[in-house]
Amino acid sequence: MFKYCLWYKLKPNHTINHIIRNYSRTLNTPTFSGHITIMKSLSLSKAEEMFETYKYHKKPTFVSYGRYTMDKMIIDNKYFFSVEQPFSIDGVRIPHIHASLAYRIDVPFLATEIKHTPIKDVIITPEDITLCIADCSSEDITEWTIYREHIQ
């Protein structure tokens, strides 16, 4: 599906992971590790190259803002739907920087299903994240795995 991705993976007890689990229960969607995607759809060699570059960068702080968005893209002739919460990076709002909260394939989310208020003031600190390469090649989101992590 997305080949290899470079992520800032969140610690298991982070608030975003609790929200993902709540959505999973209420929307009957798969659970997954909370993360901020840095790059997606990479070959393994490109993912390794970018991992080696990013592991020397200072990890940023992310702060939530605004309402969730719903996104749709076509991948491998399937519709991939997501519910996403926008985040700023070190105080700068950059388009498409977000934490995904729920995923579905070929079944869109309806606004009436997503009954949550904006996630205000959720902060993701450098201590909350680990740089990793995720293998997101499967269409089954529950089969996405962490290929490599940068433990400091």
Side-chain angles (χ1 to χ4, degrees):
M1 179 162 268
F2 287 109
K3 301 181 186 176
Y4 290 91
C5 299
L6 198 62
W7 286 355
Y8 282 125
K9 184 182 74 150
L10 295 165
K11 289 186 176 180
N13 63 349
H14 193 275
T15 301
I16 292 297
N17 280 311
H18 295 292
I19 294 167
I20 290 168
R21 287 189 292 274
N22 286 340
Y23 268 136
S24 177
R25 280 191 297 276
T26 60
L27 300 174
N28 195 28
T29 56
T31 59
F32 54 91
S33 295
H35 61 277
I36 302 284
T37 301
I38 303 165
M39 296 179 169
K40 64 183 177 191
S41 300
L42 303 171
S43 67
L44 180 56
S45 61
K46 187 65 173 178
E48 291 276 7
E49 175 188 333
M50 298 314 299
F51 182 90
E52 289 301 319
T53 299
Y54 271 81
K55 76 179 187 182
Y56 295 107
H57 287 215
K58 178 184 168 211
K59 292 191 282 187
T61 296
F62 298 91
V63 179
S64 64
Y65 70 90
R67 290 185 47 87
Y68 65 85
T69 61
M70 291 185 280
D71 193 31
K72 171 181 82 171
M73 61 184 83
I74 299 173
I75 302 166
D76 300 330
N77 295 320
K78 292 187 182 271
Y79 286 99
F80 182 84
F81 296 94
S82 58
V83 177
E84 304 169 349
Q85 175 63 49
F87 277 83
S88 64
I89 302 175
D90 293 331
V92 179
R93 293 182 180 185
I94 299 173
H96 309 295
I97 299 299
H98 65 272
S100 295
L101 305 175
Y103 296 132
R104 277 191 187 149
I105 296 175
D106 289 333
V107 179
F109 291 101
L110 303 175
T112 54
E113 290 183 290
I114 312 298
K115 297 175 184 167
H116 94 245
T117 55
I119 302 170
K120 293 186 179 183
D121 303 323
V122 171
I123 298 172
I124 300 172
T125 67
E127 293 76 30
D128 293 327
I129 56 180
T130 302
L131 179 67
C132 69
I133 297 173
D135 179 351
C136 303
S137 54
S138 177
E139 287 184 13
D140 182 347
I141 295 154
T142 63
E143 293 178 359
W144 291 0
T145 59
I146 301 305
Y147 174 81
R148 182 175 175 197
E149 284 186 77
H150 181 60
I151 308 295
Q152 295 178 305

